[in-house]
């Protein structure tokens, strides 16, 4: 299984490019597509899902051009968009049976598949509840269930944990890891911790362009020796923030502990600490911005 994205651009109007010359190869495993809001992630996901056509460029699935022939991928595609709507008066079982019919599943196969998926996403006990009464996390689980009805080889999930509580977010991440196996999963998000918990490969996108792609391990190496922890008085935070890139901070009884991503030690009292993916992400986005100033 291989998805090949080659020099995809998407222009809205005459001058605004949501994507520009974007190229990426995707194979089995979980690809974490990471970037700030407005980076072009959702536009790319809609193009790959054959909902939107690119202005230029090609996308192939196992050698077949899916821009020209979208039906070459649709039977093996599962998609959970960022804005996932449900029919509030239907219950979970009815909704999945309806979606199965739309996707062309045989009646007998659909019944078995719906039961399997309700169990997989831990919604069997509430299968008869109207979707209008579901929490945000429960609706997201129904969303992933509908995306899996046809047992897709390519699964696309766009900002799946936005608005979920911590427990639901962890459950969703674990589910994505369990689902990856022999299929390709594209997880598009701006939440670094979602990528850290599930991705086997990471692609960074900003302003419609691919900045870099690498494994999580190599991603961490980009900031090895560049992350510092420094305890400062709370009164100095604004001064320090104006001078350095702060990736995180925590307040304790003895002061404010801040994480700084810098090439050189920011202060004699700053200590080198192991990097996180959030540190690496901040470093890459900042470096890109500096190059384009």
């Amino acid at each position: 299984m291989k998805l090949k994205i080659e020099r995809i651009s998407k222009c809205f109007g005459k001058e605004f490019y949501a994507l520009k010359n974007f190229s990426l190869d995707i194979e089995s495993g979980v690809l974490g597509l990471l970037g700030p809001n407005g980076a072009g992630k959702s536009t790319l996901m809609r193009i790959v899902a054959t909902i939107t056509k690119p202005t230029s460029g090609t996308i192939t699935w196992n050698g077949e051009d899916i821009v020209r022939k979208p039906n070459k991928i649709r039977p093996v595609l599962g998609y959970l968009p960022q804005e996932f709507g449900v029919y509030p008066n239907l219950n979970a079982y009815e909704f999945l049976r309806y979606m199965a019919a739309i996707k062309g599943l045989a009646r007998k196969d659909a019944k078995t598949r719906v039961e399997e998926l309700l169990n997989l996403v831990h919604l069997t006990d509430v299968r008869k509840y109207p979707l209008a009464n579901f929490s945000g996390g429960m609706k997201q689980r129904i969303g992933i269930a509908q995306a899996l009805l046809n047992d897709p080889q390519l699964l696309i999930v766009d900002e799946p944990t936005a608005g979920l509580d911590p427990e639901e977010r962890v459950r969703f991440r674990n589910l994505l890891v369990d689902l990856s196996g022999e299929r390709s999963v594209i997880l598009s998000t701006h939440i670094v911790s979602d990528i850290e918990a599930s991705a086997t490969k990471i692609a960074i996108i900003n302003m419609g362009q691919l900045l870099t792609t690498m494994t999580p391990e190599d991603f961490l190496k980009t900031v090895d020796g560049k992350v510092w922890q420094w305890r400062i008085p709370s009164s100095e935070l604004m001064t320090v923030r104006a001078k350095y890139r702060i990736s995180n901070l925590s307040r304790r009884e003895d002061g404010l502990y801040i994480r700084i991503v810098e090439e050189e030690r920011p202060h004699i009292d700053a200590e080198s600490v192991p990097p996180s993916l959030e540190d690496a992400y901040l470093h890459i986005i900042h470096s890109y911005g500096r190059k384009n100033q």
Side-chain angles (χ1 to χ4, degrees):
M1 295 182 295
K2 186 171 184 178
L3 182 74
K4 192 174 184 64
I5 302 170
E6 296 184 274
R7 298 183 65 80
I8 286 292
S9 292
K10 180 64 177 179
C11 184
F12 292 98
K14 294 183 178 180
E15 298 181 355
F16 176 70
Y17 279 87
L19 292 169
K20 196 166 187 179
N21 295 327
F22 189 100
S23 298
L24 182 64
D25 290 347
I26 301 170
E27 299 181 340
S28 60
V30 180
L31 172 78
L33 183 65
L34 186 60
N37 288 325
K41 301 186 300 298
S42 292
T43 299
L44 179 63
M45 296 301 92
R46 287 194 294 269
I47 290 173
V48 174
T50 71
I51 294 171
T52 300
K53 284 194 173 185
T55 303
S56 61
T58 61
I59 303 178
T60 57
W61 171 254
N62 296 331
E64 296 279 0
D65 186 341
I66 65 170
V67 174
R68 293 176 56 246
K69 301 177 181 179
N71 286 333
K72 291 293 183 180
I73 195 171
R74 285 175 179 169
V76 297
L77 172 70
Y79 178 45
L80 175 60
Q82 183 175 358
E83 300 292 336
F84 175 67
V86 297
Y87 293 91
N89 294 326
L90 296 181
N91 62 41
Y93 180 80
E94 292 168 338
F95 176 73
L96 290 179
R97 287 298 301 267
Y98 172 70
M99 295 302 295
I102 289 178
K103 294 189 177 190
L105 273 69
R107 188 179 182 86
K108 183 178 179 181
D109 294 339
K111 185 177 185 221
T112 302
R113 185 63 175 157
V114 167
E115 296 287 358
E116 290 173 350
L117 290 172
L118 284 169
N119 184 61
L120 178 67
V121 299
H122 304 292
L123 290 175
T124 300
D125 292 344
V126 294
R127 62 205 295 275
K128 296 297 185 179
Y129 287 26
L131 296 179
N133 296 338
F134 274 26
S135 68
M138 292 165 71
K139 288 178 182 176
Q140 286 293 75
R141 280 186 271 159
I142 277 291
I144 196 67
Q146 65 80 28
L148 292 169
L149 279 165
N150 57 336
D151 193 20
Q153 295 176 30
L154 175 62
L155 176 63
I156 301 171
V157 287
D158 190 4
E159 299 284 0
T161 66
L164 300 190
D165 63 42
E167 184 179 356
E168 290 281 7
R169 180 172 288 136
V170 170
R171 184 183 289 119
F172 200 92
R173 291 171 186 163
N174 292 339
L175 178 59
L176 286 184
V177 173
D178 292 341
L179 290 172
S180 57
E182 294 301 313
R183 76 182 88 225
S184 299
V185 178
I186 305 176
L187 166 60
S188 171
T189 184
H190 68 282
I191 302 172
V192 179
S193 57
D194 287 348
I195 299 293
E196 192 166 23
S198 54
T200 54
K201 193 174 182 181
I202 298 171
I204 308 295
I205 180 175
N206 195 25
M207 297 179 68
Q209 295 180 301
L210 180 67
L211 305 191
T212 186
T213 178
M214 61 186 77
T215 65
E217 294 78 13
D218 288 338
F219 196 44
L220 287 171
K221 289 177 184 176
T222 63
V223 285
D224 191 25
K226 300 175 184 176
V227 183
W228 313 90
Q229 182 173 275
W230 181 14
R231 179 171 61 88
I232 63 172
S234 297
S235 59
E236 295 181 9
L237 177 59
M238 296 306 293
T239 301
V240 173
R241 192 189 292 277
K243 190 174 181 181
Y244 299 108
R245 284 173 285 158
I246 298 177
S247 64
N248 206 343
L249 57 85
S250 61
R251 296 183 185 275
R252 304 179 193 172
E253 292 181 357
D254 58 342
L256 189 65
Y257 284 77
I258 59 175
R259 288 176 70 92
I260 294 175
V261 184
E262 289 290 339
E263 298 286 340
E264 303 293 335
R265 187 188 300 270
H267 190 273
I268 192 171
D269 293 332
E271 298 178 349
S272 179
V273 292
S276 68
L277 285 182
E278 195 165 272
D279 298 322
Y281 172 64
L282 177 66
H283 175 69
I284 289 173
I285 291 293
H286 178 81
S287 298
Y288 173 80
R290 188 167 50 197
K291 289 177 184 177
N292 286 272
Q293 286 178 350

